[in-house]
Amino acid sequence: MTVTQDGAHGAGTKPVDVNDPKLSRFDIVREGARRDDIEIVTYESQFQGTNSKAEKRVVRNIALLFMISGLAAAAFVVFFIVWPWEFELGHTMSDYYTPILGISLGISLFALGIAILAWAKKLLPHEVSIQDRHNKPSSDEDRLITGQTMAYLVDELGVQRRPLLKGAIALGLAPLGVAAAAPLLGGLIENPHKDSEPFMYHTGFDPVPNNGQLVRLTREDGSPVRPDDVSVGGQITVFPGIPGGATNKYADSPTLLVHLRAQDAQDAREATEADKINKGGMWGNYVAYSKICTHAGCPASLYEQQTNRLLCPCHQSQFLITDNARPIFGPASRRLPLLPLEVDEEGFFVAASDYPEVIGPDFWERP
């Protein structure tokens, strides 16, 4: 190990004129290391001679990894654009959209990482250096040495004398760059809201598919719900009273029907009447809100009677029922949609209309 001498140069060595044209780039690199109190003990190639069979074999393997990375990234871009992505009920090709994107991009990044590691471990020269600390500022010559060191490192990568790697890097990283931009630009290819009435804007409470008749609120077994079925301060989960209303076919429709206490109901009514969307949505002391959390789509089903808060157990979002189910805690940024209520001639609860707001997790554009 060298000993520091005024923090400028290793003991027992004389400074070298780095502007001497006879010096090789490595000589300048070594001199720079010495001025930083770094002694390069070992610096040797891992192969016997240049372009040996062993080196060419390693180069081919690394180039193959770069090519695999590029092909997988290109596959990601192709699948992102052409694979069916729109949600459809049942077992369809769109079910594989997300897994295919994840697998293709994962293969691309994995192959790229292995290629970089193999390059560092198998191609770069083996080096052992010893360094002492120093606190002196850098001189002009030191900055020159630093520049030459960086240029030397580029040379040592061996890209210039290994054209196979040069082409593999270009073909491998270019598709990966396109893959990085695809999610940002891909959404501009087709308008997801192109239809006059997008499918995801409607739930099982929409009266149009029900021959124009208002949809009843029912239990999971299909039995309709009367106002007297819910005690004061209580709540019940209800579903659209249509065939399959309590199944995954209408997974966006579970609703929490709450019978508020008198004072709480008065507070809730004042809040809904002051809101242009929710106005007139309550029936008596009853109010109904979607159970689908607007953060990540989990079931917000933990109702605190004393505080009138509805809690989502997944990420602890809390919604205040007496204030239009406004989020007051947690990551949710949008309130729960209100289902307007009425009671039909037989005394059962019905939805006065479908939800006036979009159900589920928030997104950048709403109707």
Side-chain angles (χ1 to χ4, degrees), residues 158-282:
V159 177
Q160 296 298 329
R161 65 182 181 85
R162 294 168 178 144
L164 179 60
L165 278 181
K166 186 188 301 184
I169 292 173
L171 294 176
L173 296 185
L176 193 58
V178 176
L184 301 176
L185 303 178
L188 303 177
I189 296 176
E190 186 173 358
N191 181 10
H193 313 301
K194 60 184 179 181
D195 299 328
S196 58
E197 294 184 350
F199 171 76
M200 297 299 289
Y201 288 179
H202 298 275
T203 71
F205 289 105
D206 186 359
V208 176
N210 196 37
N211 298 321
Q213 298 180 357
L214 299 183
V215 179
R216 282 181 172 177
L217 279 59
T218 62
R219 301 178 180 84
E220 189 173 4
D221 61 5
S223 59
V225 179
R226 296 179 183 273
D228 294 340
D229 294 339
V230 187
S231 60
V232 176
Q235 49 82 26
I236 184 176
T237 299
V238 294
F239 306 88
I242 57 176
T247 67
N248 285 338
K249 183 177 181 180
Y250 297 98
D252 57 354
S253 302
T255 301
L256 192 73
L257 175 64
V258 183
H259 186 178
L260 296 169
R261 293 168 295 190
Q263 183 57 52
D264 296 333
Q266 179 62 30
D267 295 339
R269 187 174 297 105
E270 291 177 359
T272 56
E273 291 301 315
D275 187 271
K276 63 179 182 179
I277 296 178
N278 291 343
K279 185 175 182 179
M282 292 183 62

Side-chain angles (χ1 to χ4, degrees), residues 80-345:
F80 186 87
I81 296 174
V82 304
W83 195 273
W85 58 270
E86 294 181 318
F87 172 77
E88 297 178 6
L89 294 174
H91 186 70
T92 65
M93 295 293 287
S94 62
D95 296 344
Y96 302 101
Y97 181 68
T98 300
I100 284 178
L101 293 184
I103 291 172
S104 58
L105 187 59
I107 292 175
S108 176
L109 295 177
F110 180 78
L112 177 62
I114 297 299
I116 294 174
L117 288 175
W119 194 322
K121 294 290 186 180
K122 301 296 184 180
L123 282 185
L124 293 182
H126 177 64
E127 176 183 342
V128 176
S129 301
I130 300 174
Q131 179 180 14
D132 289 339
R133 292 184 179 180
H134 66 88
N135 299 314
K136 293 290 184 178
S138 300
S139 64
D140 291 340
E141 285 191 342
D142 290 335
R143 287 194 289 269
L144 172 62
I145 290 170
T146 300
Q148 291 294 320
T149 300
M150 296 177 65
Y152 181 77
L153 291 176
V154 172
D155 288 344
E156 284 299 294
L157 289 176
V159 177
Q160 296 298 329
R161 65 182 181 85
R162 294 168 178 144
L164 179 60
L165 278 181
K166 186 188 301 184
I169 292 173
L171 294 176
L173 296 185
L176 193 58
V178 176
L184 301 176
L185 303 178
L188 303 177
I189 296 176
E190 186 173 358
N191 181 10
H193 313 301
K194 60 184 179 181
D195 299 328
S196 58
E197 294 184 350
F199 171 76
M200 297 299 289
Y201 288 179
H202 298 275
T203 71
F205 289 105
D206 186 359
V208 176
N210 196 37
N211 298 321
Q213 298 180 357
L214 299 183
V215 179
R216 282 181 172 177
L217 279 59
T218 62
R219 301 178 180 84
E220 189 173 4
D221 61 5
S223 59
V225 179
R226 296 179 183 273
D228 294 340
D229 294 339
V230 187
S231 60
V232 176
Q235 49 82 26
I236 184 176
T237 299
V238 294
F239 306 88
I242 57 176
T247 67
N248 285 338
K249 183 177 181 180
Y250 297 98
D252 57 354
S253 302
T255 301
L256 192 73
L257 175 64
V258 183
H259 186 178
L260 296 169
R261 293 168 295 190
Q263 183 57 52
D264 296 333
Q266 179 62 30
D267 295 339
R269 187 174 297 105
E270 291 177 359
T272 56
E273 291 301 315
D275 187 271
K276 63 179 182 179
I277 296 178
N278 291 343
K279 185 175 182 179
M282 292 183 62
W283 186 90
N285 292 348
Y286 297 83
V287 66
Y289 286 103
S290 170
K291 288 186 66 173
I292 310 301
C293 181
T294 54
H295 168 234
C298 297
S301 54
L302 303 179
Y303 176 62
E304 290 185 346
Q305 181 187 113
Q306 298 301 318
T307 62
N308 291 303
R309 294 185 180 188
L310 184 60
L311 282 67
C312 177
C314 292
H315 306 98
Q316 288 71 55
S317 292
Q318 298 182 16
F319 304 88
L320 187 58
I321 295 298
T322 54
D323 189 10
N324 292 297
R326 175 177 57 87
I328 57 174
F329 182 82
S333 60
R334 186 167 66 95
R335 66 185 185 182
L336 296 173
L338 178 143
L339 182 68
L341 297 175
E342 287 184 5
V343 172
D344 62 17
E345 63 276 4

